[in-house]
Amino acid sequence: MTSAEIEQYFIYHNSNMKLLKIGFDEIRNQLKQIYKTRNSELFIYSLPSSSPDKIALRKIEKSLSRILSGIQVSWAEESIKRLFYESNVFSDGQREYLLEQPALDQRWYKTLKIVFCIAYDLVSSSDENCVLIRIENERRNLGNELVDHYLELKSIITNHLVPNFSIRNKVQHGEWEYAFRPSHSKEFSQELTNKINHENIITTTSRFTLVNAFYQMIVDLARFKSNSFAIDSMLTPFEYFYDSYIKKIKYETLKIASPDLEDFIYQIVQKEIRGIEYRKVGNNQQERQ
């Protein structure tokens, strides 16, 4: 591909990402608005769980949550496609190799490996896709810290991105409440059902933030191949910002593991109540004037 073609494809995928982000924000706002729904003077989410109004609203909430989850992983998929067309990163052969990977998780694993090899001069002319490289065996060359960084990033893909992708597969195949075992969905799975029903506005928002942080780390690796970083000439941006990105990722993983949806809803409702009271005070003051 020519430089102009690469740039154009980057623009295409970037436009897709922007539109997906609009959709993500719109569905997320709809979900937050649901929590503010009132029946006369009562907030429906303050009613008992057995309330017919609350049961009906919960179903709408679950439907929107599934849509939000699907959009989030589609955004993650477009993220890596956009990365393939970052200028001056991949050769045509490397790009083709990555695009041919059949599964999204393999694209992330192999992209991380190739980008890491590019960043630390491990690519050879006879193995530009780094198939024969074992980064875990490069400690004498790279040092323990960099190898440990690579292994930690790889574990993030395994423990947090791959489960994210599998959830999207279930959602995209219509298994919004009851999930079935792959690959032909012949057998009901309580384990997968539990994972699907664990998803909500908190987990999906945290997954979005996590993927974005991870993506930015990969971009830092890909773009900066030399120690010409203005803030610290001894480090690359990847190395300099590594700890802060990992801290952010770990914070989001905790929220994914234990999302307190009831408190999240409570805070939204309380903020809405304060807004109502504030508007009442303002209206009363205008009436007295």
Side-chain angles (χ1 to χ4, degrees):
M1 297 181 73
T2 66
S3 296
E5 288 172 333
I6 291 170
E7 182 180 1
Q8 187 60 63
Y9 272 61
F10 179 90
I11 292 170
Y12 289 155
H13 288 295
N14 193 52
S15 296
N16 286 341
M17 287 183 66
K18 287 181 178 179
L19 197 59
L20 284 162
K21 182 61 166 60
I22 290 171
F24 183 89
D25 291 341
E26 180 63 28
I27 297 298
R28 191 173 185 275
N29 288 336
Q30 287 184 41
L31 271 166
K32 292 174 74 173
Q33 197 62 40
I34 279 177
Y35 301 135
K36 302 175 186 178
T37 304
R38 287 189 290 170
N39 183 353
S40 299
E41 293 300 315
L42 294 175
F43 285 90
I44 291 179
Y45 271 85
S46 66
L47 298 175
S49 297
S50 58
S51 164
D53 286 345
K54 189 170 183 178
I55 290 171
L57 204 58
R58 281 286 192 189
K59 289 182 179 179
I60 297 173
E61 175 199 9
K62 182 174 287 188
S63 297
L64 290 176
S65 293
R66 300 298 177 264
I67 295 170
L68 190 70
S69 182
I71 293 173
Q72 183 267 314
V73 185
S74 294
W75 180 88
E77 187 168 1
E78 274 300 291
S79 294
I80 197 166
K81 289 178 184 176
R82 184 178 70 174
L83 179 60
F84 295 157
Y85 297 96
E86 286 276 357
S87 62
N88 301 316
V89 174
F90 298 108
S91 68
D92 285 343
Q94 288 168 335
R95 187 180 302 107
E96 190 67 23
Y97 171 75
L98 293 170
L99 286 168
E100 287 175 352
Q101 298 305 311
L104 185 54
D105 58 340
Q106 289 304 309
R107 285 187 178 185
W108 280 96
Y109 282 125
K110 294 183 186 299
T111 298
L112 169 64
K113 185 178 183 181
I114 291 176
V115 167
F116 203 92
C117 288
I118 291 171
Y120 294 105
D121 299 321
L122 299 176
V123 182
S124 66
S125 58
S126 61
D127 184 23
E128 71 168 352
N129 296 326
C130 305
V131 175
L132 301 177
I133 294 290
R134 297 292 177 267
I135 294 174
E136 58 269 27
N137 296 333
E138 296 288 333
R139 292 185 182 276
R140 291 183 63 182
N141 180 21
L142 299 177
N144 288 327
E145 186 174 53
L146 284 178
V147 173
D148 288 343
H149 285 352
Y150 171 78
L151 294 176
E152 186 168 29
L153 293 179
K154 192 175 178 182
S155 73
I156 289 171
I157 296 175
T158 301
N159 297 324
H160 302 294
L161 270 65
V162 172
N164 191 14
F165 304 150
S166 65
I167 288 169
R168 195 280 295 268
N169 289 340
K170 297 285 98 181
V171 169
Q172 295 294 77
H173 286 89
E175 297 172 21
W176 283 19
E177 191 159 14
Y178 298 100
F180 298 80
R181 296 190 188 283
S183 56
H184 301 293
S185 295
K186 292 181 179 179
E187 181 185 354
F188 171 73
S189 170
Q190 188 62 58
E191 179 184 2
L192 288 172
T193 296
N194 292 342
K195 288 180 179 180
I196 294 295
N197 286 308
H198 179 76
E199 294 302 300
N200 55 47
I201 188 173
I202 299 173
T203 61
T204 305
T205 302
S206 288
R207 291 186 193 282
F208 185 97
T209 305
L210 187 156
V211 171
N212 189 50
F214 190 88
Y215 175 86
Q216 291 303 322
M217 296 176 81
I218 303 298
V219 169
D220 283 349
L221 259 178
R223 283 180 176 164
F224 298 91
K225 305 179 184 68
S226 63
N227 296 345
S228 57
F229 184 36
I231 296 178
D232 188 336
S233 62
M234 298 298 292
L235 300 172
T236 64
F238 169 75
E239 294 159 2
Y240 185 85
F241 292 114
Y242 185 86
D243 288 340
S244 61
Y245 275 126
I246 289 296
K247 183 178 180 181
K248 179 185 291 187
I249 287 171
K250 289 182 176 178
Y251 174 71
E252 299 303 333
T253 62
L254 290 175
K255 290 200 290 183
I256 292 169
S258 302
D260 192 343
L261 183 59
E262 294 307 316
D263 182 67
F264 181 85
I265 295 171
Y266 175 79
Q267 296 300 331
I268 288 177
V269 170
Q270 290 303 307
K271 183 177 180 180
E272 183 70 6
I273 290 172
R274 290 194 296 271
I276 292 170
E277 293 300 322
Y278 178 80
R279 289 190 291 273
K280 282 182 178 179
V281 170
N283 290 336
N284 290 337
Q285 289 176 343
Q286 288 182 348
E287 289 174 1
R288 287 196 296 268
Q289 289 177 353

